[in-house]
Amino acid sequence: MSGNIRLLSDTLARAKSEDRAALIAYLPAGFPTVDGGIEAIKAVLDGGADIVEVGLPHSDPVLDGPVIQTADDIALRGGVRIADVLRTVREAHTATGKPVLVMTYWNPIDRYGVERFTAELAEAGGAGCILPDLPVQESAVWREHARKHELATVFVVAPSSRDARLAEITAAGSGFVYAASLMGVTGTRESVGAQAQDLVRRTRATAAGRGLPVCVGLGVSNAEQAAEVAGFADGVIVGSAFVKRLLDAGDQAAGIAAVRALAGELAEGVRKR
């Protein structure tokens, strides 16, 4: 293992060695603009996030809640393209030296070309991809090209996932496993719930021997929730709360300051496990 997939693994291992969870942030590319999105992502990383997921905006984001759907719509109406997503990855990674992944639905990659996308993502310094709607049993072509270009393949598991499916996913995935804390779409929640802790336990049991980290997303929006999840997960994933800070800001400068501040608050939270 080498390249930026190693950087991703080393970052998660370092957080574990510091007896804390990693903070993983999500923001879509092209939101509020391509340049503004790059600055927001750099601010989140500078503010305390260990890893960032760059969303590839999609016209039918079926797993995303209204906050991220709104941001995706703004990005798409602004004309964002895959080239802009890759530029966002490159500039965020170059500026911060931290791992940057792309989170995307399968259709845009399939249309763009798997080999072309994986090659260009690796060249941009990307650490890998999170593919929420790609079934593991249909992922062989993707994984072949991801391995060729030393990219992580992160699959998503849910509370409804049976143990046999968890075992299949942990055997095929790399980097980490994305554990969705509850059934439903993305968005902030009043509480993350006990389902997430049980899912992490079951996922780890199937990944015995591989040591694949399990990171929890969907619903975390503040330092208290981050601390709760950090008590049982290897990483805490926060998306909608960052997007909402940008949506609620009066201008770009205020939005940049708001997401940097939230990253700092959440970074303190994951250290209170």
Side-chain angles (χ1 to χ4, degrees), residues 41-272:
I41 288 168
K42 290 194 293 189
V44 164
L45 289 167
D46 289 339
D50 299 289
I51 299 162
V52 74
E53 304 169 5
V54 174
L56 194 161
H58 188 48
S59 57
D60 187 25
V62 294
L63 299 179
D64 291 312
V67 170
I68 291 176
Q69 285 185 20
T70 298
D72 276 7
D73 184 58
I74 291 169
L76 290 167
R77 283 191 284 112
V80 70
R81 296 290 184 266
I82 287 180
D84 300 311
V85 177
L86 295 168
R87 177 187 156 209
T88 300
V89 170
R90 179 181 290 104
E91 295 199 19
H93 173 64
T94 300
T96 66
K98 292 184 176 182
V100 181
L101 300 105
V102 168
M103 187 166 190
T104 179
Y105 294 95
W106 178 244
N107 183 256
I109 292 178
D110 192 37
R111 292 178 62 185
Y112 193 74
V114 179
E115 170 58 21
R116 180 185 177 193
F117 183 83
T118 51
E120 291 180 8
L121 178 58
E123 190 276 330
C129 240
I130 302 164
L131 300 157
D133 67 337
L134 179 64
V136 65
Q137 64 269 23
E138 297 175 17
S139 67
V141 171
W142 163 265
R143 287 187 286 123
E144 174 189 347
H145 290 288
R147 280 194 299 269
K148 175 182 174 182
H149 294 289
E150 300 175 339
L151 298 169
T153 298
V154 179
F155 290 111
V156 178
V157 299
S160 60
S161 301
R162 297 184 180 276
D163 289 352
R165 180 164 177 77
L166 293 178
E168 191 177 6
I169 287 171
T170 55
S174 55
F176 63 90
V177 178
Y178 186 127
S181 65
L182 37 74
M183 300 302 294
V185 297
T186 60
T188 60
R189 302 291 194 278
E190 290 299 316
S191 63
V192 178
Q195 280 187 319
Q197 188 166 1
D198 180 63
L199 178 58
V200 170
R201 178 190 60 77
R202 292 195 297 118
T203 304
R204 280 182 175 153
T206 67
R210 287 205 66 204
L212 199 61
V214 183
C215 304
V216 171
L218 273 68
V220 177
S221 61
N222 57 50
E224 291 72 25
Q225 291 174 337
E228 176 192 353
V229 174
F232 57 82
D234 299 300
V236 180
I237 303 168
V238 181
S240 294
F242 282 114
V243 175
K244 192 171 188 306
R245 291 283 178 107
L246 286 177
L247 285 171
D248 291 346
D251 55 41
Q252 181 170 317
I256 297 297
V259 295
R260 180 182 284 110
L262 178 58
E265 294 163 15
L266 293 165
E268 288 186 16
V270 299
R271 288 165 169 79
K272 294 178 180 176

